[in-house]
Amino acid sequence: MTEKTMTMTETIIDKAETAPAPAPAPAPKTVTLAPKLPRAVELKLAELRQAMTDSQTLAQNMAAKVRTLSDTLADPRLTPETRDSIRAEVEIAEQIRDERVEQAHHIKSIHQLTKGFLNMVKPGTEIRAVPGPVPKAGSDPVRRVAVIRDEIAALKRARAEVGDSPLSREELVARAKEHVLARAAQGVPYGLHTVIPGEPRLRSDRGRSFKNEVEALFSFMCWFRQSDVVEKLTADIDAALEGKDTLTSVERNARLAELDVEILTAERDEEATICAALAQGHNVTRRRDADPRAVLGLEVGRPR
């Protein structure tokens, strides 16, 4: 199985229509489908495509072998011993076939992951190649991949904890006040009759209707007893934050950015080690959630 080479740019030339009177030909129109890729990135894409094609061919070949062996079992002239021997071969071949099919699907998913990432990059964006780190000579690449993956998992857990950490009391109280003010503006009652018989809705002076009675009542209370609602929410915030470490938005965003850099650095190390393992003949697969920037060895700038 082969796949057409993916091109990064395509030029469309509009042909001039034939007319009795001579007319100037329209100027060529260029449509940019994707940013221009560095040579190293193009080579990595080609390598992934070839790996996908090779894995699919191996899976197909083993599937054909299973079919051939299974057809052989239908021969009535086979002795019991020969039939048992062929059955054993079929079992082994089926196991290898299933492993190769799974590997082919895995490699295909990595290829699609990288293509999908590149398709999301806006035209005009600069893409730069980033050489991966050089693995230590003499080290076991397979074992090193496992160690790096443990490091990546730990960094991602740390990032999740930072992302879930509560904001500072000051920011939460400020957000609560803003929310109460917004709901108070929606909860202003319309005249003296706020409840319509047969259809319990609270209508505001702006004609807003609340389908949910709790939502309507809360908006009304924000208008009617604004300070009391803010005081109650502040007390709830204090209770929820008791004994917990908090971060300001600035602190949390800064820490998340630091962890993102550490995770990407570790993933680049992982990819370089995987390449070293494959070069030595080891069967190592990439993670399905690997960062495409690490797999392709690139970094993306801002669109021009």
Side-chain angles (χ1 to χ4, degrees), residues 67-113:
R67 289 193 298 269
T68 301
L69 290 171
S70 299
D71 292 341
T72 304
L73 286 174
D75 189 347
R77 297 169 297 177
L78 295 177
T79 64
E81 294 79 6
T82 302
R83 192 176 301 276
D84 290 342
S85 176
I86 294 177
R87 284 199 182 105
E89 286 188 62
V90 170
E91 291 181 2
I92 296 174
E94 286 178 337
Q95 181 179 355
I96 297 175
R97 176 203 60 193
D98 293 343
E99 292 174 354
R100 290 183 177 178
V101 168
E102 175 61 26
Q103 186 178 31
H105 288 163
H106 185 90
I107 295 175
K108 182 178 180 180
S109 71
I110 298 299
H111 182 250
Q112 292 175 335
L113 174 73

Side-chain angles (χ1 to χ4, degrees), residues 135-186:
K136 294 181 180 179
S139 62
D140 183 352
V142 177
R143 182 175 299 179
R144 177 59 183 159
V145 167
V147 172
I148 296 173
R149 287 178 174 171
D150 288 341
E151 295 173 357
I152 293 172
L155 288 170
K156 289 186 174 182
R157 287 194 298 270
R159 192 190 191 285
E161 291 176 1
V162 172
D164 292 338
S165 62
L167 291 175
S168 65
R169 179 185 184 277
E170 292 74 15
E171 288 185 85
L172 291 177
V173 170
R175 291 187 180 188
K177 290 180 178 180
E178 291 177 4
H179 183 65
V180 170
L181 284 173
R183 298 304 290 267
Q186 299 172 353

Side-chain angles (χ1 to χ4, degrees), residues 113-133:
L113 174 73
T114 56
K115 287 207 308 182
F117 172 79
L118 291 174
N119 289 337
M120 293 295 293
V121 179
K122 296 181 179 180
T125 303
E126 181 184 7
I127 294 181
R128 297 177 293 273
V130 178

